[in-house]
Amino acid sequence: MYITFPTMKNLNKLKNLGIVGDNYRPISVKYLLSTDDLSIIRWFSSIAHVLLNYYYPAQNFLDIRETINYSLRYSLLATLGHKHGKSIAWAIRSYGKSPSVMLRDAQGEWTKISCFISLKDVHGLTRKRHEGFTILRQRSESAASR
C-alpha cells in the first residue's frame, strides 16, 4: 500500500482558493490584496507547510515539491506584485524568490519575522525509509554536494 499526493485534486483545491487559475498557472490571490505583506507571506507559508507535513510520506514526493516551488511560490510573488501595482519580476527583485519580512530593532539589527520556505530548503527535503516508515529529513551538506 502506498500513500500518494493526488496532484490534480490538490491543484483543484488551490484553484478554489484562487492560487492557480483555470489553466493551473499561478495567479495573485485577490482577497489578500488588502492585507499587509507579513500576513500574505504567512498565509502562503502555512499552506506550504500543511502540504509538506501532510504528504511527506507520499511516493510521489517530487510532485509536492513542484507544487510548492511553482504554484505557491509564484502565486505569492504575483500577489505581492499585484498588491504594490507591480509585476512578478519586481516582486522577485524586491523580495527574492523566498519572500521574507524583516524588522529593524532599536540597535539597527535586522530580524526576520516571517519568510516563505526557501528553494534550498524545499530541494533539500528527502524521504528516507526506516523500518517500514518514511521519514522526512533535511539532506546533509555532504550528500547535497554530491
Side-chain angles (χ1 to χ4, degrees):
M1 181 163 103
Y2 296 109
I3 298 171
T4 59
F5 173 72
T7 306
M8 285 310 295
K9 180 180 176 183
N10 281 294
L11 282 175
N12 285 326
K13 286 182 181 179
L14 294 178
K15 184 177 171 183
N16 291 338
L17 287 171
I19 294 173
V20 296
D22 292 333
N23 56 358
Y24 299 105
R25 294 187 63 187
I27 58 173
S28 68
V29 180
K30 309 297 186 273
Y31 55 88
L32 292 177
L33 296 177
S34 62
T35 62
D36 59 304
D37 293 353
L38 177 62
S39 298
I40 293 170
I41 292 170
R42 283 185 174 167
W43 189 82
F44 278 95
S45 185
S46 68
I47 292 174
H49 283 95
V50 164
L51 287 173
L52 284 172
N53 289 331
Y54 189 77
Y55 288 110
Y56 76 85
Q59 287 298 110
N60 54 345
F61 187 70
L62 292 177
D63 291 344
I64 300 165
R65 289 185 359 185
E66 182 181 323
T67 299
I68 290 169
N69 277 336
Y70 179 66
S71 299
L72 288 175
R73 185 175 312 279
Y74 281 94
S75 181
L76 167 58
L77 292 166
T79 303
L80 289 171
H82 190 189
K83 176 183 174 20
H84 295 286
K86 307 285 183 174
S87 65
I88 292 176
W90 174 86
I92 292 172
R93 282 192 307 275
S94 299
Y95 294 93
K97 284 202 173 181
S98 299
S100 62
V101 174
M102 306 286 280
L103 181 66
R104 183 180 284 176
D105 62 12
Q107 291 80 23
E109 298 290 323
W110 287 97
T111 305
K112 190 180 291 187
I113 297 176
S114 182
C115 67
F116 190 74
I117 187 168
S118 72
L119 287 166
K120 181 181 176 185
D121 289 342
V122 173
H123 284 296
L125 295 173
T126 60
R127 293 172 56 242
K128 176 185 175 188
R129 296 214 173 265
H130 179 71
E131 298 177 17
F133 294 97
T134 304
I135 301 168
L136 186 67
R137 64 183 176 103
Q138 195 71 20
R139 211 172 9 175
S140 67
E141 290 300 320
S142 61
S145 63
R146 292 185 208 162

